[in-house]
Amino acid sequence: MSQFLESLKDRRSFYTLGRDVKLSEEEITELIKDTVKSSPTAFNAQSPRAVILFGEAHEKLWNIVEEALKPLTPAEVFPNTQAKIASFRNAYGTVMFFKETDTVKNLQEQFTLYADNFPDWAEQSNGIATANTWTALTAAGLGANLQHYNPVIDDAVAEEWNIPANWQLRSQLVFGSKEGEANEKEYLADDERFRVFH
């Protein structure tokens, strides 16, 4: 139990990431696959999807983000945006998480009583798979941070990597070697977040 909790506590947002990674791309890929497959989904829907990017593909994603944001960002602040994107590009890789929407629709049709819940449950499943992957990468000695440049980049991503139309981009998990420290984390008081009844 304590090892599990320590893994959760160690999972932090590291924004200074590098490429000094000891694991091979194959080892990282298997770790991500196993983690996503082992993450629970409502009705065993298995709706989370993951696209894992290394090397030029990883860099291409962040070039797409930069190109998409340039016309949307005031010119005077765009250099700050570029610097932030460069920090992601300097990392070792990115996992793009998607929600597979046909499964959600099929479940809504099969179980009409719960139809309104399936989109929410699919988002929860995606969050679980993402958080578990982040924690697994942390346990393997890597740092990571989670970004959400969807839907601004959705079309360009779909075109570049031939993403099926029923895969909806939800987040981008950037990972690499830890080249800096995570920021201090402050916690709300327990009485603001928890209630226990007997």
Side-chain angles (χ1 to χ4, degrees), residues 27-40:
E27 288 172 318
I28 293 171
T29 298
E30 285 309 305
L31 176 65
I32 293 167
K33 286 181 178 180
D34 287 346
T35 303
V36 173
K37 287 192 286 187
S38 300
S39 297

Side-chain angles (χ1 to χ4, degrees), residues 52-122:
I52 306 163
L53 306 176
F54 297 104
E56 291 180 8
H58 159 75
E59 292 182 12
K60 177 65 177 179
L61 171 65
W62 297 105
N63 292 340
I64 287 172
V65 172
E66 185 172 332
E67 290 165 15
L69 292 182
K70 188 171 185 178
L72 305 175
T73 309
E76 63 274 13
V77 298
F78 190 61
N80 293 336
T81 300
Q82 286 179 299
K84 183 177 181 182
I85 294 168
S87 74
F88 305 143
R89 191 184 292 114
N90 291 338
Y92 190 73
T94 305
V95 187
M96 297 190 292
F97 286 94
F98 297 80
K99 176 177 66 178
E100 195 276 294
T101 57
D102 284 354
T103 298
V104 177
K105 291 173 186 171
N106 290 339
L107 285 168
Q108 287 178 301
E109 292 168 4
Q110 289 178 49
F111 302 98
T112 55
L113 182 63
Y114 307 116
D116 291 344
N117 299 108
F118 282 109
D120 288 341
W121 290 341

Side-chain angles (χ1 to χ4, degrees), residues 158-179:
E159 182 177 349
E160 179 66 27
W161 288 288
N162 196 26
I163 303 298
N166 60 328
W167 288 25
Q168 182 184 15
L169 184 60
R170 306 312 297 141
S171 62
Q172 304 85 50
L173 183 65
V174 189
F175 63 88
S177 54
K178 298 175 185 176
E179 304 298 333

